[in-house]
Amino acid sequence: MLALTGWVGGGRRLTTTGQLLRGDARELVELLGTGGNQAGAGLAAPLRGVQVLLAWAHLSGLVRTDGSWLGPGPAAARLREDPGALRDALFAAVPRLEDSRCGWQSVRLHLDGAPDFSEGLVALWRRLGAGPSTEEEAARVVWDELTAHHQVEERQPEGLTSWKVVVARDVGRALGLYEAVGAVQFKGGQFEGGRFELTGYGRERELSGARDDAVAPHRLGEAFVHWP
């Protein structure tokens, strides 16, 4: 996040539709390391990584968009100087990623009567609070919580990935975000029955599913979807 806000600096020009310029997008993929070892594999996955980081930074107050301009957010200067406050801001922003196009959109759009994925995140946090859990166990708890209130499978379009798989994928993404801010840690290897558990920092945090509907839609969340 510090690298991202450093790159934004005093501001960066966007296209007239609020998208990153092609050269800037490639530069960010390299700077933020979202491409991994995917050389020659196209830019879809690396751009999604940048997309998530931009949305997360936006919702944390690190960056903002104003028409065709990407600039520092209202809290950028303060958060860059206070690692603890930055960590707290990023943690608090995870549930709000549903406000962007790169968060839990696939689930949100297909849960009858549910405005977002916050119910799932609350169930995930409750499960972690009860003790260590594998990703599969956590996904099952979230799935059970969501399907207890919403008819998910009945609305699944024929031929598409099942919503159960989509929920499991989103749970994995959420665990990755919480792990990135040090609220969750993974102990043991993938083939050693490894489990996720709350860290001391995570146990001190109260998960809030509240949304701030005053926040304008995150236009950059749509940028990479249509980026050539």
Side-chain angles (χ1 to χ4, degrees):
M1 285 300 177
L2 292 176
L4 174 59
T5 55
W7 179 85
V8 171
R12 293 274 180 164
R13 185 169 61 87
L14 301 172
T15 68
T16 56
T17 57
Q19 301 181 39
L20 283 176
L21 301 175
R22 179 188 293 266
D24 284 350
R26 291 183 180 276
E27 186 177 336
L28 271 181
V29 167
E30 182 175 353
L31 174 67
L32 303 179
T34 62
N37 297 318
Q38 303 180 40
L43 277 176
L47 282 175
R48 177 178 170 81
V50 170
Q51 177 184 4
V52 170
L53 290 175
L54 274 170
W56 203 5
H58 178 273
L59 295 170
S60 302
L62 284 166
V63 301
R64 65 184 179 86
T65 55
D66 182 8
S68 59
W69 189 256
L70 171 66
R78 175 178 62 85
L79 295 179
R80 282 178 60 85
E81 297 299 324
D82 188 341
L86 174 58
R87 187 187 200 187
D88 290 345
L90 291 171
F91 174 86
V94 171
R96 295 179 55 215
L97 275 170
E98 69 223 7
D99 290 327
S100 75
R101 294 275 180 157
C102 67
W104 328 113
Q105 180 192 19
S106 53
V107 172
R108 173 165 53 94
L109 292 180
H110 299 284
L111 291 181
D112 187 18
D116 52 53
F117 190 53
S118 291
E119 293 176 41
L121 290 179
V122 171
L124 170 62
W125 203 250
R126 186 168 59 242
R127 173 61 188 87
L128 292 172
S133 171
T134 65
E135 185 174 327
E136 291 74 18
E137 290 170 349
R140 184 166 58 250
V141 167
V142 172
W143 173 258
D144 289 344
E145 175 70 19
L146 294 176
T147 54
H149 307 292
H150 310 287
Q151 299 298 317
V152 181
E153 288 187 308
E154 291 181 6
R155 302 192 65 190
Q156 176 185 323
E158 183 177 356
L160 295 185
T161 302
S162 74
W163 299 133
K164 192 169 187 177
V165 172
V166 172
V167 168
R169 182 193 63 197
D170 284 344
V171 166
R173 289 174 177 168
L175 286 169
L177 293 170
Y178 285 128
E179 186 177 22
V181 295
V184 169
Q185 62 184 350
F186 183 70
K187 304 193 72 173
Q190 182 178 359
F191 302 105
E192 302 173 10
R195 291 175 174 269
F196 286 92
E197 63 181 21
L198 295 180
T199 62
Y201 174 81
R203 286 191 293 272
E204 296 173 354
R205 306 271 79 75
E206 179 178 349
L207 186 67
S208 171
R211 299 174 62 190
D212 183 358
D213 291 328
V215 174
H218 183 222
R219 295 185 63 190
L220 280 175
E222 300 180 4
F224 294 106
V225 176
H226 305 291
W227 192 80

